């Protein structure tokens, strides 16, 4: 029970990697806030998590709306009394080659993936600084480091996450706050399931271990960073990509 009685607020946690992170933390004893724009799926995830004997609530949240974030955090603190762990996982893609990419698709991806993490971190730090303790874990991506054709907006947002993480780590270490990032590679999620077998095969050739990862592989790294075992780690990026980027 590495996270017994800790409280974790996870954005985009109703499905995929976010949900796996929520389950992983619950298994280690954390009480979890499932924040997602899809409140029905968030409630289903919260119900699943309660089966592990911890508290969990669903919180409707659009991370592109700053006013929603403050309200969601207040609800979380009212329910759990403290704010130990923030996982900035919410993210979207709007793919197109750069010359064809619409300004609004660039703005939407940056607003949700990067600005959302910025505003959530800012609000969390206000609470964590008073506690003199907190863990912020941001979900980046392998494409932040290698780029990806058709994903200028997504790659830029995830590279920005790395810079944001390192800056938070430097600014707030003195307040007992640790900030780290996890950069997944190709992970089996709803987004990769729609790909053709030929595309999956070609992608698999880029991975030295020869296979896609699982959401649980990412969750394991996040749980570690949230735990006491990682208290002397801050400002770092853990790559979970099967050797795709070294």
């Amino acid at each position: 029970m590495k996270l017994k009685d800790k409280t974790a607020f996870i954005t985009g946690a109703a499905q995929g990697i976010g949900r796996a992170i929520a389950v992983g933390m619950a298994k280690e004893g954390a009480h979890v806030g499932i924040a997602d724009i899809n409140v029905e799926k968030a409630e289903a995830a919260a119900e699943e998590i309660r089966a592990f004997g911890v508290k969990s609530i669903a919180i409707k949240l659009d991370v592109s709306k700053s006013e929603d974030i403050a309200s969601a955090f207040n609800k979380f603190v009212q329910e759990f009394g403290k704010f130990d762990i923030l996982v900035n996982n919410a993210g979207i893609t709007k793919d197109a080659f750069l010359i064809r990419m619409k300004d609004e698709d660039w703005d939407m991806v940056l607003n949700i993936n990067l600005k959302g993490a910025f505003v959530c971190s800012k609000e969390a730090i206000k609470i964590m600084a008073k506690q003199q303790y907190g863990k912020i874990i941001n979900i980046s991506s392998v494409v932040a480091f290698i780029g990806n054709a058709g994903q200028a907006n997504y790659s830029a947002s995830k590279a920005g996450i790395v810079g944001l993480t390192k800056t938070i780590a430097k600014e707030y270490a003195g307040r007992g706050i640790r900030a780290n990032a996890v950069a997944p590679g190709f992970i089996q999620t709803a987004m990769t399931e729609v790909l053709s077998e030929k595309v999956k095969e070609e992608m698999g050739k880029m991975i030295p271990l020869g296979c896609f990862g699982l959401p649980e592989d990412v969750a394991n790294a996040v749980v570690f960073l949230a735990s006491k075992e990682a208290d002397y780690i801050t400002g770092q990026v853990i790559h979970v990509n099967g050797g795709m980027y070294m």
Side-chain angles (χ1 to χ4, degrees), residues 115-132:
K115 185 180 178 183
F118 157 68
V119 178
C120 284
S121 297
K122 182 166 66 170
E123 292 298 321
I125 287 167
K126 292 176 184 177
I127 304 166
M128 292 174 175
K130 294 177 181 177
Q131 299 173 166
Q132 290 289 299

Side-chain angles (χ1 to χ4, degrees), residues 128-147:
M128 292 174 175
K130 294 177 181 177
Q131 299 173 166
Q132 290 289 299
Y133 176 83
K135 296 281 186 84
I136 296 175
I137 303 160
N138 297 320
I139 305 302
S140 180
S141 170
V142 66
V143 301
F145 300 87
I146 65 174

Side-chain angles (χ1 to χ4, degrees), residues 9-175:
F9 185 104
I10 307 167
T11 69
Q15 58 189 344
I17 290 173
R19 189 165 182 158
I21 292 169
V23 169
M25 289 196 170
K27 286 180 177 179
E28 292 295 340
H31 307 299
V32 183
I34 305 293
D36 202 282
I37 197 166
N38 188 324
V39 73
E40 290 79 17
K41 286 186 177 181
E43 182 52 55
E47 185 174 353
E48 175 189 1
I49 283 165
R50 292 183 201 115
F52 296 105
V54 298
K55 297 177 183 177
S56 184
I57 59 171
I59 303 171
K60 184 174 176 61
L61 176 61
D62 180 348
V63 298
S64 69
K65 298 179 179 178
S66 299
E67 62 275 13
D68 285 6
I69 293 171
S71 175
F73 280 26
N74 286 335
K75 181 177 180 180
F76 180 83
V77 173
Q78 286 173 5
E79 177 70 24
F80 298 119
K82 59 177 182 169
F83 200 125
D84 296 317
I85 303 158
L86 168 65
V87 181
N88 285 310
N89 168 75
I92 64 165
T93 58
K94 289 281 184 179
D95 296 351
F97 286 114
L98 192 142
I99 199 167
R100 297 175 183 170
M101 186 171 288
K102 298 176 182 177
D103 287 2
E104 53 264 36
D105 289 343
W106 172 275
D107 291 342
M108 184 180 292
V109 170
L110 269 290
N111 279 337
I112 292 174
N113 296 9
L114 184 55
K115 185 180 178 183
F118 157 68
V119 178
C120 284
S121 297
K122 182 166 66 170
E123 292 298 321
I125 287 167
K126 292 176 184 177
I127 304 166
M128 292 174 175
K130 294 177 181 177
Q131 299 173 166
Q132 290 289 299
Y133 176 83
K135 296 281 186 84
I136 296 175
I137 303 160
N138 297 320
I139 305 302
S140 180
S141 170
V142 66
V143 301
F145 300 87
I146 65 174
N148 198 32
Q151 289 194 313
N153 48 7
Y154 186 76
S155 298
S157 72
K158 292 303 185 178
I161 284 288
V162 175
L164 175 65
T165 300
K166 291 178 179 292
T167 299
I168 292 170
K170 285 193 173 183
E171 288 186 356
Y172 294 98
R175 299 294 186 92

